[in-house]
Amino acid sequence: MNFLNIFLLQAPQQQGSTWSGILMIVLIFVIFWLFFIRPQNKRAKEQQQFRENLKKGDKIVTIGGIHGKVEEVRENTVLVSIDHNTKIEFEKSAIIPNASQVGGAA
């Protein structure tokens, strides 16, 4: 056989392997999205909703592990009472929901 015949015989096989390669990449992306991106976005939405719905008297935990009770909610900050005469002001982004506050997500 000459070179042209060999090339023509192998062409359909390469086409099939190209489609299977593209299909594999798409499948990996879908799996990655289902198991990593989607749950992370859902968790971020829940945390944002939690921060927007903070009100006086809520018990909270900060990202640094400080437990306290909300005394006052401002636009971007929250005044938290951590002891009888001790109050600290935190950014809302520094407050995380407890597992008991948001459907088991911490």
Side-chain angles (χ1 to χ4, degrees), residues 8-55:
L8 291 175
L9 289 174
Q10 291 181 350
Q13 294 171 353
Q14 290 177 347
Q15 185 68 18
S17 66
T18 301
W19 282 110
S20 65
I22 291 172
L23 181 64
M24 186 64 73
I25 290 171
V26 169
L27 184 63
I28 289 171
F29 179 75
V30 168
I31 290 171
F32 186 76
W33 181 78
L34 283 173
F35 289 106
F36 294 106
I37 297 172
R38 186 172 169 254
Q40 185 176 0
N41 288 343
K42 183 180 176 185
R43 195 173 320 122
K45 267 187 203 176
E46 288 175 348
Q47 289 178 352
Q48 182 64 29
Q49 186 178 21
F50 170 77
R51 290 178 183 129
E52 289 172 357
N53 294 331
L54 280 174
K55 60 187 178 299

Side-chain angles (χ1 to χ4, degrees), residues 81-97:
S81 173
I82 58 172
D83 200 12
H84 295 293
N85 294 325
T86 308
K87 295 179 183 177
I88 301 177
E89 188 171 4
F90 290 100
E91 292 285 325
K92 283 186 176 181
S93 61
I95 297 172
I96 57 173

Side-chain angles (χ1 to χ4, degrees), residues 50-52 54 58-83 86-97:
F50 170 77
R51 290 178 183 129
E52 289 172 357
L54 280 174
D58 286 348
K59 292 184 179 181
I60 56 103
V61 178
T62 67
I63 57 176
I66 298 173
H67 293 251
K69 187 176 178 182
V70 175
E71 292 293 323
E72 183 180 341
V73 179
R74 299 178 182 149
E75 186 175 338
N76 294 321
T77 61
V78 176
L79 189 64
V80 178
S81 173
I82 58 172
D83 200 12
T86 308
K87 295 179 183 177
I88 301 177
E89 188 171 4
F90 290 100
E91 292 285 325
K92 283 186 176 181
S93 61
I95 297 172
I96 57 173

